[in-house]
Amino acid sequence: MSIDIVPRSVRKIRRKSTLSFICGLCALVTVYFVSSNNLLSGDAWVPSNERHPRTGHNNRDLQHFLVRGSSGQRQLEWTNKSYRRTSSHKLFNGENPTSTTDLELVKGWSSSDSLYLTEPDKGRRRRLPRAIIIGVKKGGTRALLEFLRVHPDVKATGPEPHFFDKHYHKGLDWYRSLMPETLPHQITIEKTPSYFVTSEVPSRIFKMSNSTKLVLVVRDPVTRAVSDYTQILSKHGKSKSFQSSAFLRNDTSRINTSWIVIRIGLYVKHLENWLSVFPLRQIHFVHGENLVTNPGEEMRKVQEFLGLEPVITEKHFFFDKRRGFPCIKKKLTNKRGHCLDESKGRPHPLLPAKVISSLRRFYRPFNEKFYKLTNIDFKWP
């Protein structure tokens, strides 16, 4: 009896020992992997006061940082918070800086934005615009921008930046700081209508990126001039009469082309300046009158030009009869839509027929040249 019991007890002890050994080994492996992950994330060795306030990750300098992209691998060295390029690959997909070097642009990145984004936000950052609405003033630029905002792949600035005409000395980093955060597949857009009539702007935009897409909204220059004058009256109250500013010595046969309200409407003159820098294929012309009467068709063309999915259609629009202007629904299921503020669709002052006909005679030859240059007949009177 005792001879049978002893071997069985030994066998039980051996089985328990083997099981304990396996459990212990699993525990050690688990601890090892958890420790390794903590070390790789940096949270294990970076004091809490040195972690990035937003993400909680470390903010120390890295000696070697490898950037991987679809076009290959790009190596940057980060020492004392400065970058040194070690590869000829471009750092900006979709952005093609020509005079400003990649190094200068990269300096604007913060370590937290470029290295430590969480998975849902990976790739989200402020990008230079890939498209700019360059004009014209009182042509319908605000309406176009508000319509484009409905598209999920478009992000736009709020106020007009005026970077390329008034704040160019502040540099591209300042300009980029005004842009909204976007994901890589989204397009950043800004609008500043005064760009179209400022001679230095085309070359400045080209230096930022020679692939920038330009959008120009134009309307009948006579109607545009009257609308511009109406806005001046609303902002400044009392002003000179339209006739006294538009004509030299109140002679309707002599147009005052030095008045900016008149000069903006010489579209062909300004366009020639742009075409000395950009090819015509990079400029899209929006018919301002059609943007009001047929916004769905104009938005289809704009989306095609920008390489966007045609999300915005005629079903998004309804007409505000009181102001004679279209409004847009952000979602087709919405009962109410978004209409532009009261500054849009102001009633224009009535001008003598002689004044209107004189302005039409003046603009007609410039309009004809504009049609030929753009290969578009806008059919203005």
Side-chain angles (χ1 to χ4, degrees), residues 157-194:
T157 55
E160 296 169 3
H162 283 278
F163 171 66
F164 294 102
D165 59 348
K166 294 182 179 179
H167 303 295
Y168 193 61
H169 61 282
K170 295 183 179 180
L172 281 175
D173 284 340
W174 178 86
Y175 183 47
R176 183 161 63 263
S177 72
L178 304 179
M179 301 298 125
E181 289 187 349
T182 57
L183 293 170
H185 71 277
Q186 294 175 317
I187 294 178
T188 302
I189 295 179
E190 73 114 316
K191 90 160 181 86
T192 304
S194 57

Side-chain angles (χ1 to χ4, degrees), residues 142 144-152 154-159 312:
R142 173 54 61 182
L144 176 61
L145 189 67
E146 292 305 310
F147 296 164
L148 278 171
R149 286 184 193 276
V150 174
H151 201 292
V154 171
K155 295 293 182 181
T157 55
I312 306 169

Side-chain angles (χ1 to χ4, degrees), residues 38 103 172 208 236 238 244 265 267 269 283 289 298 307 311-312 321 328 351:
N38 287 337
L103 174 61
L172 281 175
M208 175 191 74
H236 303 290
K238 292 182 179 180
S244 63
Y267 302 146
K269 295 295 184 182
I283 306 175
E289 286 82 8
E298 286 300 317
V311 172
I312 306 169
K321 295 181 180 179
I328 189 168
L351 298 177

Side-chain angles (χ1 to χ4, degrees), residues 42 72 74 95 98 116 122 174-175 198 204-205 207 215 221 229 235 240 257 264 277 293 308 321 355 379:
R74 295 157 291 192
E95 296 172 18
T98 54
Y116 302 117
K122 192 174 182 180
W174 178 86
Y175 183 47
T198 306
R204 289 174 176 178
I205 293 179
K207 287 178 181 178
V215 181
Y229 176 72
K235 287 185 176 180
K240 291 182 179 181
T257 56
I264 289 175
V277 178
T293 60
L308 296 169
K321 295 181 180 179
V355 170
K379 300 185 183 303

